[in-house]
Amino acid sequence: MKRKTYVILFLILSLFSVRALAENKLSIPVLEIGAGKEASVPIYLSNDSQVVAIQFRLHLPKGFTMSDTSSLTVSDRKTNHTVSIKKMASQEYLVVLFSITNTALRGNSGLLFRLPVLVPDTCVTGHRFSFRFSEVILSARNGANLE
């Protein structure tokens, strides 16, 4: 009888601990973009934890290129955050958003910034192209990875 009680108690506690896990997720919505045009690709963050900095590699579809990022602006979720983008390979970019004063982003969901991307003339209407994140790091104030 005691063993059953412990098993049931363990299952109940496990259920609560699963619900307590924080979810932090970067995303790009599905977009319709015309061939040969510049697109403004939104990067969204949904976060349960306080996020101070973000780093990720963005892999663009074949033929797509990043446009001029010098005038890139961060949404109102920033306090004093800056975005830095560096081309790593032909279709791969390192994106870093950080706060020099170690201040967390405002809110728990929404747009972070928009990336200017040039769509090749060879794109076919109705075809889906994937933008892929890799090596995602979401940082807490103490430097811990929240991902």
Side-chain angles (χ1 to χ4, degrees), residues 76-123:
D76 60 357
R77 293 196 63 192
K78 72 173 172 44
T79 46
N80 61 353
H81 292 78
T82 302
V83 177
S84 173
I85 300 172
K86 180 178 180 184
K87 186 172 185 172
M88 304 303 284
S90 65
Q91 303 304 124
E92 181 182 332
Y93 294 83
L94 178 65
V95 180
V96 180
L97 178 137
F98 62 96
S99 165
I100 294 174
T101 59
N102 207 26
T103 306
L105 290 165
R106 292 184 184 124
N108 293 98
S109 66
L111 177 70
L112 289 176
F113 51 86
R114 294 180 181 274
L115 296 174
V117 175
L118 294 174
V119 180
D121 293 331
T122 56
C123 281

Side-chain angles (χ1 to χ4, degrees), residues 12-13 44 49 54-55 67 72 78 81-82 121 131 147:
I12 291 170
L13 289 175
Y44 287 89
S49 306
I54 300 168
Q55 177 178 308
S67 185
L72 184 78
K78 72 173 172 44
H81 292 78
T82 302
D121 293 331
F131 290 76
E147 187 59 19

Side-chain angles (χ1 to χ4, degrees), residues 50-65:
Q50 286 200 340
V51 176
V52 171
I54 300 168
Q55 177 178 308
F56 60 88
R57 289 181 183 259
L58 180 65
H59 304 269
L60 300 181
K62 187 175 182 178
F64 286 63
T65 55

